[in-house]
Amino acid sequence: MSNSVILDVSNFSYAYGDVQAVNNVSFTVKRGEFFSFLGPNGAGKTTVINTLITLLPMQKGTVTVAGYDLRTDRVKVRESIGIVFQQITLDKDMTVRETLDFHGDIYQMNRDNKMKRISELLALVELEEKADALVSTLSGGMKRRLEIARGLMTRPQILFLDEPTIGLDPQTRQKTWEYLRMVNQEGTTIFMTTHYMDEADILSDSIALIDHGEIIKRGTPDELKSGLGKDIIYLETSDNNSVSTRIREIPGITGIQPCDGKLLIFSGNDGALVLPGIIRAADEQGITVRSVSLKKPTMDDVFMHYTGTEIRD
C-alpha cells in the first residue's frame, strides 16, 4: 500500500444470510483526504463502515487500514482510528470533561498528554464553558460535538463518521460541518457516510456513490457534477414521452431521464442555447409546455443520473 493511501479496500463483500448487503466493493482513501460514502439508507454504507471499524467480522475481500490488515491486526486498526457513531453513545451521567478523561484512560493515555488533549478539544468544539456540565443537560448539537471530540482524543490517523448530522437542525448541521473541516485541515483523514447530498458536496475531496451494495461512481464533487454536462433543464409537458423522442435529436443534448412527472434534460452546451429548440420541438408536435427551468447540476442530479432514482430516506 502506498504511503499516500491510508485505507485500501479490495473486493469486499458482506452478506446477512441470503441478503447481499455489499457486493465486491473496491476503493482507496488518501491520507489527509475527506472521503464520503454517499447513498440512500439500505445501500450498504453502514455495513461497510462497521466492518472497517471492526464491529463486524471480515467475510470476503481484503482491507488495510493505516497499514494494518483488518483480518490479522484488528487491535492495531482500533488504535489507529476514531469513531463517531450514527446514534448518540454518551453516558448521560458523566460531565463533558469526564467523558473525554474516561476515553483517554481506556486508551491508557499519559495523564499530562491526556489533560492537554482535553483542553485542546474542548476549545476546538467550543465546549469549554460546558466542561463540567452533565451530558444529560447538553443539546443535541453539543452532544454531537462532544462525540467528535471524543473520537479525536487519541489523535487517530483516520476518523470514521456514520451519518454524523442525522437528526440535527440546519444551523447545528452547519456548525458541525465547520468542526469537521477544521479537524480535516489539521491533518486527520475523514471517512464519512451520509445520505445528505449537500453535505457530501460541500465537505468532500472525494465521493463514492453506493447503491444496492455496489459503488456506481467515484470522483470529486466537481468531476461528478461536470460529468453530467454544463446545464440541466427540467421540462414538464402534456406528453413527456412523445416530446422526449424529438428532443434527443437536438445537438448538445447528452441525456434525458424522467423524474416526478418531468423530464431531466442534460445539456453539454449552455442550456439557454438549446432551450429554443426544446420549445420548438414541443410546439411542432402540438404538445403544451407546462413548465421549464434551467440550473447547474447538483449532487442530487448526479445520484439521479447514475441510479435512475432519487435519494431514498
Side-chain angles (χ1 to χ4, degrees), residues 34 87 110 139 207 216 238 242 298:
F34 198 124
Q87 303 297 325
N110 172 278
S139 67
I207 297 173
I216 52 180
S238 57
S242 296
T298 65

Side-chain angles (χ1 to χ4, degrees), residues 90-207:
L90 300 169
D91 187 331
K92 61 182 177 60
D93 295 322
M94 280 187 173
T95 67
V96 169
R97 192 188 306 277
E98 287 170 345
T99 298
L100 299 179
D101 186 72
F102 180 67
H103 193 72
D105 286 344
I106 291 176
Y107 282 86
Q108 300 179 324
M109 292 180 68
N110 172 278
R111 177 170 176 78
D112 289 341
N113 290 338
K114 181 179 65 174
M115 292 299 104
K116 180 181 178 183
R117 189 61 175 156
I118 289 173
S119 295
E120 291 172 349
L121 290 171
L122 289 176
L124 174 70
V125 298
E126 298 182 5
L127 286 177
E128 292 167 297
E129 294 183 0
K130 294 288 185 179
D132 298 314
L134 289 173
V135 168
S136 60
T137 67
L138 302 181
S139 67
M142 289 178 180
K143 289 176 182 176
R144 180 56 80 197
R145 281 148 53 189
L146 176 56
E147 290 202 309
I148 292 171
R150 183 179 63 181
L152 293 169
M153 268 297 292
T154 58
R155 298 185 184 276
Q157 295 186 54
I158 181 169
L159 178 65
F160 287 92
L161 304 158
D162 189 13
E163 301 279 2
T165 63
I166 194 168
L168 299 181
D169 62 80
Q171 185 177 14
T172 305
R173 283 183 71 212
Q174 291 276 357
K175 200 67 178 175
T176 302
W177 293 350
E178 292 178 19
Y179 298 126
L180 295 181
R181 282 196 194 96
M182 286 190 289
V183 168
N184 182 235
Q185 288 167 1
E186 286 188 348
T188 301
T189 305
I190 292 181
F191 182 109
M192 177 178 73
T193 71
T194 182
H195 68 274
Y196 293 126
M197 298 294 180
D198 56 344
E199 186 161 83
D201 191 358
I202 291 170
L203 294 175
S204 310
D205 297 312
S206 180
I207 297 173

Side-chain angles (χ1 to χ4, degrees), residues 273-285:
L273 298 179
V274 300
L275 266 177
I278 292 172
I279 302 300
R280 187 164 53 249
D283 186 60
E284 289 173 353
Q285 291 179 285

Side-chain angles (χ1 to χ4, degrees), residues 183-254:
V183 168
N184 182 235
Q185 288 167 1
E186 286 188 348
T188 301
T189 305
I190 292 181
F191 182 109
M192 177 178 73
T193 71
T194 182
H195 68 274
Y196 293 126
M197 298 294 180
D198 56 344
E199 186 161 83
D201 191 358
I202 291 170
L203 294 175
S204 310
D205 297 312
S206 180
I207 297 173
L209 294 175
I210 183 172
D211 197 20
H212 302 296
E214 298 182 356
I215 292 179
I216 52 180
K217 195 68 177 176
R218 168 81 188 265
T220 68
D222 285 344
E223 287 171 346
L224 293 173
K225 288 182 290 186
S226 64
L228 299 190
K230 190 170 183 179
D231 286 318
I232 293 180
I233 298 165
Y234 280 80
L235 178 71
E236 182 181 7
T237 73
S238 57
D239 189 344
N240 289 344
N241 289 333
S242 296
V243 79
S244 64
T245 302
R246 291 289 299 277
I247 289 173
R248 292 181 193 278
E249 301 170 0
I250 299 174
I253 300 298
T254 58

